[in-house]
Amino acid sequence: MVFIIVTLLLGMGNFAWHRAVLESGHRMVSDMPPESRRTFRLFSLALEFLLLCGALYAVRLGHTHWLWAYLGYSAINAGAAWLILKRKI
């Protein structure tokens, strides 16, 4: 049960970082045409949701190594979001 909760909390963090980047006004996002930006937003959030569902499902079945993989993915997301939000990229 603890593994499921940790995976869910990581997923919430991923969505928060994702939203922060999309709303940051960074040139990478703001230079996109509005229609492309909407499509990108929907596609990227759907992909984020599918990754979370897959990780939760795998962890629920007892494959705890997927928690570690999702933790690594979350760490990369957090680092990238920090770089983008701090305008280091």
Side-chain angles (χ1 to χ4, degrees), residues 45-81:
L45 287 172
L47 179 61
E48 193 73 56
F49 180 72
L50 288 174
L51 288 171
L52 174 60
C53 287
L56 282 170
Y57 182 70
V59 170
R60 183 182 166 276
L61 292 178
H63 303 289
T64 55
H65 59 279
W66 282 104
L67 169 62
W68 298 109
Y70 196 67
L71 178 65
Y73 168 75
S74 298
I76 291 169
N77 271 352

mmCIF file of all heavy atoms in Angstrom, residues 45-81:
data_model
loop_
_atom_site.group_PDB
_atom_site.id
_atom_site.type_symbol
_atom_site.label_atom_id
_atom_site.label_comp_id
_atom_site.label_asym_id
_atom_site.label_seq_id
_atom_site.Cartn_x
_atom_site.Cartn_y
_atom_site.Cartn_z
ATOM 1 N N LEU A 45 -0.429 16.086 -21.371
ATOM 2 C CA LEU A 45 -1.110 15.732 -20.124
ATOM 3 C C LEU A 45 -1.707 14.325 -20.200
ATOM 4 O O LEU A 45 -1.700 13.590 -19.218
ATOM 5 C CB LEU A 45 -2.182 16.761 -19.774
ATOM 6 C CG LEU A 45 -1.652 18.107 -19.286
ATOM 7 C CD1 LEU A 45 -2.790 19.117 -19.157
ATOM 8 C CD2 LEU A 45 -0.911 17.968 -17.975
ATOM 9 N N ALA A 46 -2.209 13.947 -21.379
ATOM 10 C CA ALA A 46 -2.732 12.583 -21.553
ATOM 11 C C ALA A 46 -1.600 11.562 -21.412
ATOM 12 O O ALA A 46 -1.777 10.512 -20.770
ATOM 13 C CB ALA A 46 -3.409 12.446 -22.914
ATOM 14 N N LEU A 47 -0.445 11.862 -21.978
ATOM 15 C CA LEU A 47 0.698 10.964 -21.850
ATOM 16 C C LEU A 47 1.135 10.849 -20.391
ATOM 17 O O LEU A 47 1.415 9.754 -19.900
ATOM 18 C CB LEU A 47 1.853 11.458 -22.712
ATOM 19 C CG LEU A 47 3.128 10.622 -22.667
ATOM 20 C CD1 LEU A 47 2.864 9.206 -23.164
ATOM 21 C CD2 LEU A 47 4.214 11.296 -23.491
ATOM 22 N N GLU A 48 1.158 11.977 -19.694
ATOM 23 C CA GLU A 48 1.523 11.975 -18.267
ATOM 24 C C GLU A 48 0.539 11.097 -17.472
ATOM 25 O O GLU A 48 0.941 10.326 -16.597
ATOM 26 C CB GLU A 48 1.491 13.405 -17.734
ATOM 27 C CG GLU A 48 2.130 13.581 -16.404
ATOM 28 C CD GLU A 48 3.637 13.505 -16.469
ATOM 29 O OE1 GLU A 48 4.248 14.257 -17.219
ATOM 30 O OE2 GLU A 48 4.183 12.656 -15.723
ATOM 31 N N PHE A 49 -0.748 11.200 -17.793
ATOM 32 C CA PHE A 49 -1.767 10.411 -17.118
ATOM 33 C C PHE A 49 -1.585 8.912 -17.402
ATOM 34 O O PHE A 49 -1.689 8.081 -16.493
ATOM 35 C CB PHE A 49 -3.165 10.872 -17.545
ATOM 36 C CG PHE A 49 -4.271 10.113 -16.902
ATOM 37 C CD1 PHE A 49 -4.565 10.294 -15.564
ATOM 38 C CD2 PHE A 49 -5.022 9.216 -17.626
ATOM 39 C CE1 PHE A 49 -5.593 9.583 -14.954
ATOM 40 C CE2 PHE A 49 -6.051 8.500 -17.033
ATOM 41 C CZ PHE A 49 -6.336 8.684 -15.693
ATOM 42 N N LEU A 50 -1.292 8.580 -18.658
ATOM 43 C CA LEU A 50 -1.084 7.172 -19.009
ATOM 44 C C LEU A 50 0.140 6.593 -18.305
ATOM 45 O O LEU A 50 0.113 5.442 -17.855
ATOM 46 C CB LEU A 50 -0.950 7.021 -20.523
ATOM 47 C CG LEU A 50 -2.227 7.206 -21.325
ATOM 48 C CD1 LEU A 50 -1.924 7.188 -22.822
ATOM 49 C CD2 LEU A 50 -3.237 6.132 -20.975
ATOM 50 N N LEU A 51 1.195 7.374 -18.194
ATOM 51 C CA LEU A 51 2.382 6.911 -17.473
ATOM 52 C C LEU A 51 2.069 6.663 -15.999
ATOM 53 O O LEU A 51 2.506 5.663 -15.423
ATOM 54 C CB LEU A 51 3.517 7.923 -17.609
ATOM 55 C CG LEU A 51 4.175 7.994 -18.976
ATOM 56 C CD1 LEU A 51 5.133 9.185 -19.042
ATOM 57 C CD2 LEU A 51 4.909 6.712 -19.278
ATOM 58 N N LEU A 52 1.315 7.568 -15.399
ATOM 59 C CA LEU A 52 0.930 7.391 -13.995
ATOM 60 C C LEU A 52 0.054 6.148 -13.828
ATOM 61 O O LEU A 52 0.274 5.345 -12.918
ATOM 62 C CB LEU A 52 0.211 8.627 -13.465
ATOM 63 C CG LEU A 52 -0.378 8.510 -12.057
ATOM 64 C CD1 LEU A 52 0.704 8.202 -11.037
ATOM 65 C CD2 LEU A 52 -1.119 9.788 -11.698
ATOM 66 N N CYS A 53 -0.931 5.986 -14.698
ATOM 67 C CA CYS A 53 -1.806 4.805 -14.603
ATOM 68 C C CYS A 53 -1.019 3.519 -14.768
ATOM 69 O O CYS A 53 -1.234 2.550 -14.032
ATOM 70 C CB CYS A 53 -2.913 4.887 -15.660
ATOM 71 S SG CYS A 53 -4.176 6.106 -15.300
ATOM 72 N N GLY A 54 -0.095 3.500 -15.717
ATOM 73 C CA GLY A 54 0.738 2.314 -15.925
ATOM 74 C C GLY A 54 1.602 2.010 -14.713
ATOM 75 O O GLY A 54 1.721 0.849 -14.296
ATOM 76 N N ALA A 55 2.196 3.041 -14.139
ATOM 77 C CA ALA A 55 3.034 2.834 -12.954
ATOM 78 C C ALA A 55 2.194 2.349 -11.779
ATOM 79 O O ALA A 55 2.593 1.424 -11.064
ATOM 80 C CB ALA A 55 3.759 4.129 -12.599
ATOM 81 N N LEU A 56 1.031 2.947 -11.576
ATOM 82 C CA LEU A 56 0.154 2.521 -10.480
ATOM 83 C C LEU A 56 -0.293 1.075 -10.665
ATOM 84 O O LEU A 56 -0.324 0.291 -9.711
ATOM 85 C CB LEU A 56 -1.064 3.436 -10.372
ATOM 86 C CG LEU A 56 -0.839 4.781 -9.712
ATOM 87 C CD1 LEU A 56 -2.055 5.678 -9.895
ATOM 88 C CD2 LEU A 56 -0.519 4.617 -8.238
ATOM 89 N N TYR A 57 -0.639 0.719 -11.884
ATOM 90 C CA TYR A 57 -1.088 -0.637 -12.165
ATOM 91 C C TYR A 57 0.029 -1.650 -11.901
ATOM 92 O O TYR A 57 -0.190 -2.683 -11.266
ATOM 93 C CB TYR A 57 -1.576 -0.728 -13.616
ATOM 94 C CG TYR A 57 -2.116 -2.080 -13.992
ATOM 95 C CD1 TYR A 57 -3.315 -2.541 -13.462
ATOM 96 C CD2 TYR A 57 -1.423 -2.899 -14.877
ATOM 97 C CE1 TYR A 57 -3.813 -3.788 -13.802
ATOM 98 C CE2 TYR A 57 -1.913 -4.140 -15.228
ATOM 99 C CZ TYR A 57 -3.111 -4.582 -14.690
ATOM 100 O OH TYR A 57 -3.600 -5.815 -15.026
ATOM 101 N N ALA A 58 1.232 -1.340 -12.386
ATOM 102 C CA ALA A 58 2.355 -2.252 -12.198
ATOM 103 C C ALA A 58 2.707 -2.403 -10.720
ATOM 104 O O ALA A 58 2.949 -3.517 -10.241
ATOM 105 C CB ALA A 58 3.565 -1.758 -12.990
ATOM 106 N N VAL A 59 2.714 -1.289 -9.999
ATOM 107 C CA VAL A 59 3.039 -1.341 -8.571
ATOM 108 C C VAL A 59 1.961 -2.117 -7.816
ATOM 109 O O VAL A 59 2.253 -2.900 -6.910
ATOM 110 C CB VAL A 59 3.223 0.085 -8.005
ATOM 111 C CG1 VAL A 59 3.308 0.072 -6.496
ATOM 112 C CG2 VAL A 59 4.481 0.718 -8.593
ATOM 113 N N ARG A 60 0.708 -1.930 -8.196
ATOM 114 C CA ARG A 60 -0.384 -2.660 -7.547
ATOM 115 C C ARG A 60 -0.247 -4.166 -7.732
ATOM 116 O O ARG A 60 -0.574 -4.946 -6.845
ATOM 117 C CB ARG A 60 -1.727 -2.195 -8.101
ATOM 118 C CG ARG A 60 -2.911 -2.855 -7.428
ATOM 119 C CD ARG A 60 -4.215 -2.394 -8.064
ATOM 120 N NE ARG A 60 -5.299 -3.242 -7.658
ATOM 121 C CZ ARG A 60 -5.614 -4.407 -8.228
ATOM 122 N NH1 ARG A 60 -4.909 -4.859 -9.242
ATOM 123 N NH2 ARG A 60 -6.631 -5.119 -7.790
ATOM 124 N N LEU A 61 0.285 -4.578 -8.885
ATOM 125 C CA LEU A 61 0.482 -6.003 -9.152
ATOM 126 C C LEU A 61 1.717 -6.567 -8.454
ATOM 127 O O LEU A 61 1.998 -7.753 -8.565
ATOM 128 C CB LEU A 61 0.585 -6.248 -10.657
ATOM 129 C CG LEU A 61 -0.691 -6.026 -11.456
ATOM 130 C CD1 LEU A 61 -0.435 -6.261 -12.938
ATOM 131 C CD2 LEU A 61 -1.816 -6.922 -10.966
ATOM 132 N N GLY A 62 2.455 -5.704 -7.765
ATOM 133 C CA GLY A 62 3.607 -6.169 -7.016
ATOM 134 C C GLY A 62 4.946 -5.963 -7.697
ATOM 135 O O GLY A 62 5.974 -6.398 -7.192
ATOM 136 N N HIS A 63 4.960 -5.318 -8.846
ATOM 137 C CA HIS A 63 6.202 -5.056 -9.573
ATOM 138 C C HIS A 63 6.804 -3.743 -9.062
ATOM 139 O O HIS A 63 6.727 -2.706 -9.718
ATOM 140 C CB HIS A 63 5.944 -4.981 -11.074
ATOM 141 C CG HIS A 63 5.308 -6.199 -11.636
ATOM 142 N ND1 HIS A 63 5.978 -7.397 -11.756
ATOM 143 C CD2 HIS A 63 4.047 -6.419 -12.091
ATOM 144 C CE1 HIS A 63 5.168 -8.296 -12.275
ATOM 145 N NE2 HIS A 63 3.987 -7.735 -12.478
ATOM 146 N N THR A 64 7.413 -3.815 -7.892
ATOM 147 C CA THR A 64 7.880 -2.584 -7.240
ATOM 148 C C THR A 64 9.045 -1.923 -7.967
ATOM 149 O O THR A 64 9.321 -0.752 -7.720
ATOM 150 C CB THR A 64 8.284 -2.868 -5.779
ATOM 151 O OG1 THR A 64 9.244 -3.913 -5.756
ATOM 152 C CG2 THR A 64 7.070 -3.253 -4.958
ATOM 153 N N HIS A 65 9.710 -2.646 -8.861
ATOM 154 C CA HIS A 65 10.783 -2.001 -9.622
ATOM 155 C C HIS A 65 10.231 -0.881 -10.500
ATOM 156 O O HIS A 65 10.946 0.055 -10.848
ATOM 157 C CB HIS A 65 11.567 -3.023 -10.451
ATOM 158 C CG HIS A 65 10.749 -3.784 -11.429
ATOM 159 N ND1 HIS A 65 9.988 -4.880 -11.062
ATOM 160 C CD2 HIS A 65 10.562 -3.601 -12.748
ATOM 161 C CE1 HIS A 65 9.365 -5.338 -12.131
ATOM 162 N NE2 HIS A 65 9.700 -4.589 -13.165
ATOM 163 N N TRP A 66 8.942 -0.926 -10.825
ATOM 164 C CA TRP A 66 8.336 0.165 -11.595
ATOM 165 C C TRP A 66 8.233 1.435 -10.770
ATOM 166 O O TRP A 66 8.244 2.538 -11.310
ATOM 167 C CB TRP A 66 6.973 -0.244 -12.141
ATOM 168 C CG TRP A 66 7.126 -1.125 -13.332
ATOM 169 C CD1 TRP A 66 6.951 -2.473 -13.374
ATOM 170 C CD2 TRP A 66 7.542 -0.738 -14.640
ATOM 171 N NE1 TRP A 66 7.230 -2.945 -14.628
ATOM 172 C CE2 TRP A 66 7.591 -1.904 -15.427
ATOM 173 C CE3 TRP A 66 7.872 0.478 -15.225
ATOM 174 C CZ2 TRP A 66 7.960 -1.866 -16.764
ATOM 175 C CZ3 TRP A 66 8.249 0.504 -16.553
ATOM 176 C CH2 TRP A 66 8.280 -0.661 -17.316
ATOM 177 N N LEU A 67 8.122 1.288 -9.459
ATOM 178 C CA LEU A 67 8.146 2.475 -8.596
ATOM 179 C C LEU A 67 9.491 3.173 -8.732
ATOM 180 O O LEU A 67 9.547 4.399 -8.849
ATOM 181 C CB LEU A 67 7.891 2.105 -7.134
ATOM 182 C CG LEU A 67 8.145 3.218 -6.112
ATOM 183 C CD1 LEU A 67 7.229 4.398 -6.345
ATOM 184 C CD2 LEU A 67 7.998 2.694 -4.709
ATOM 185 N N TRP A 68 10.572 2.406 -8.734
ATOM 186 C CA TRP A 68 11.900 3.011 -8.865
ATOM 187 C C TRP A 68 12.081 3.649 -10.233
ATOM 188 O O TRP A 68 12.692 4.719 -10.351
ATOM 189 C CB TRP A 68 12.980 1.971 -8.585
ATOM 190 C CG TRP A 68 12.869 1.463 -7.191
ATOM 191 C CD1 TRP A 68 12.455 0.223 -6.803
ATOM 192 C CD2 TRP A 68 13.121 2.202 -5.987
ATOM 193 N NE1 TRP A 68 12.441 0.145 -5.428
ATOM 194 C CE2 TRP A 68 12.851 1.345 -4.903
ATOM 195 C CE3 TRP A 68 13.539 3.497 -5.720
ATOM 196 C CZ2 TRP A 68 12.996 1.735 -3.578
ATOM 197 C CZ3 TRP A 68 13.692 3.896 -4.401
ATOM 198 C CH2 TRP A 68 13.412 3.022 -3.347
ATOM 199 N N ALA A 69 11.545 3.017 -11.262
ATOM 200 C CA ALA A 69 11.613 3.603 -12.608
ATOM 201 C C ALA A 69 10.820 4.908 -12.653
ATOM 202 O O ALA A 69 11.277 5.910 -13.215
ATOM 203 C CB ALA A 69 11.078 2.617 -13.638
ATOM 204 N N TYR A 70 9.634 4.912 -12.037
ATOM 205 C CA TYR A 70 8.804 6.120 -12.028
ATOM 206 C C TYR A 70 9.450 7.204 -11.159
ATOM 207 O O TYR A 70 9.331 8.386 -11.461
ATOM 208 C CB TYR A 70 7.391 5.781 -11.528
ATOM 209 C CG TYR A 70 6.375 6.848 -11.838
ATOM 210 C CD1 TYR A 70 6.004 7.126 -13.151
ATOM 211 C CD2 TYR A 70 5.766 7.578 -10.830
ATOM 212 C CE1 TYR A 70 5.074 8.104 -13.442
ATOM 213 C CE2 TYR A 70 4.831 8.548 -11.108
ATOM 214 C CZ TYR A 70 4.491 8.812 -12.419
ATOM 215 O OH TYR A 70 3.575 9.782 -12.701
ATOM 216 N N LEU A 71 10.139 6.800 -10.110
ATOM 217 C CA LEU A 71 10.876 7.755 -9.290
ATOM 218 C C LEU A 71 11.982 8.417 -10.109
ATOM 219 O O LEU A 71 12.173 9.636 -10.037
ATOM 220 C CB LEU A 71 11.459 7.067 -8.062
ATOM 221 C CG LEU A 71 12.308 7.932 -7.136
ATOM 222 C CD1 LEU A 71 11.457 9.013 -6.489
ATOM 223 C CD2 LEU A 71 12.973 7.080 -6.076
ATOM 224 N N GLY A 72 12.698 7.643 -10.907
ATOM 225 C CA GLY A 72 13.724 8.204 -11.782
ATOM 226 C C GLY A 72 13.134 9.156 -12.802
ATOM 227 O O GLY A 72 13.674 10.247 -13.047
ATOM 228 N N TYR A 73 12.011 8.760 -13.404
ATOM 229 C CA TYR A 73 11.307 9.619 -14.357
ATOM 230 C C TYR A 73 10.875 10.918 -13.688
ATOM 231 O O TYR A 73 11.031 12.002 -14.252
ATOM 232 C CB TYR A 73 10.099 8.855 -14.916
ATOM 233 C CG TYR A 73 9.117 9.691 -15.683
ATOM 234 C CD1 TYR A 73 9.412 10.120 -16.963
ATOM 235 C CD2 TYR A 73 7.893 10.051 -15.125
ATOM 236 C CE1 TYR A 73 8.501 10.897 -17.677
ATOM 237 C CE2 TYR A 73 6.987 10.816 -15.820
ATOM 238 C CZ TYR A 73 7.292 11.241 -17.101
ATOM 239 O OH TYR A 73 6.408 12.012 -17.801
ATOM 240 N N SER A 74 10.379 10.813 -12.464
ATOM 241 C CA SER A 74 9.932 12.000 -11.731
ATOM 242 C C SER A 74 11.106 12.914 -11.398
ATOM 243 O O SER A 74 10.973 14.144 -11.458
ATOM 244 C CB SER A 74 9.211 11.589 -10.443
ATOM 245 O OG SER A 74 8.068 10.836 -10.742
ATOM 246 N N ALA A 75 12.237 12.340 -11.061
ATOM 247 C CA ALA A 75 13.423 13.146 -10.761
ATOM 248 C C ALA A 75 13.889 13.907 -12.003
ATOM 249 O O ALA A 75 14.257 15.088 -11.916
ATOM 250 C CB ALA A 75 14.538 12.260 -10.227
ATOM 251 N N ILE A 76 13.856 13.252 -13.146
ATOM 252 C CA ILE A 76 14.224 13.925 -14.395
ATOM 253 C C ILE A 76 13.227 15.043 -14.693
ATOM 254 O O ILE A 76 13.613 16.154 -15.091
ATOM 255 C CB ILE A 76 14.301 12.914 -15.554
ATOM 256 C CG1 ILE A 76 15.492 11.984 -15.338
ATOM 257 C CG2 ILE A 76 14.395 13.616 -16.898
ATOM 258 C CD1 ILE A 76 15.529 10.795 -16.265
ATOM 259 N N ASN A 77 11.930 14.786 -14.508
ATOM 260 C CA ASN A 77 10.909 15.818 -14.712
ATOM 261 C C ASN A 77 11.122 17.005 -13.783
ATOM 262 O O ASN A 77 11.008 18.159 -14.199
ATOM 263 C CB ASN A 77 9.509 15.254 -14.467
ATOM 264 C CG ASN A 77 8.899 14.668 -15.707
ATOM 265 O OD1 ASN A 77 9.431 14.793 -16.792
ATOM 266 N ND2 ASN A 77 7.777 14.009 -15.533
ATOM 267 N N ALA A 78 11.402 16.719 -12.521
ATOM 268 C CA ALA A 78 11.611 17.795 -11.553
ATOM 269 C C ALA A 78 12.815 18.641 -11.942
ATOM 270 O O ALA A 78 12.775 19.878 -11.887
ATOM 271 C CB ALA A 78 11.786 17.222 -10.147
ATOM 272 N N GLY A 79 13.899 17.982 -12.344
ATOM 273 C CA GLY A 79 15.092 18.712 -12.759
ATOM 274 C C GLY A 79 14.850 19.560 -13.995
ATOM 275 O O GLY A 79 15.265 20.724 -14.058
ATOM 276 N N ALA A 80 14.169 18.998 -14.977
ATOM 277 C CA ALA A 80 13.871 19.752 -16.195
ATOM 278 C C ALA A 80 12.946 20.928 -15.897
ATOM 279 O O ALA A 80 13.148 22.032 -16.417
ATOM 280 C CB ALA A 80 13.240 18.832 -17.239
ATOM 281 N N ALA A 81 11.935 20.699 -15.064
ATOM 282 C CA ALA A 81 11.022 21.793 -14.706
ATOM 283 C C ALA A 81 11.767 22.897 -13.972
ATOM 284 O O ALA A 81 11.563 24.085 -14.237
ATOM 285 C CB ALA A 81 9.880 21.263 -13.844
#
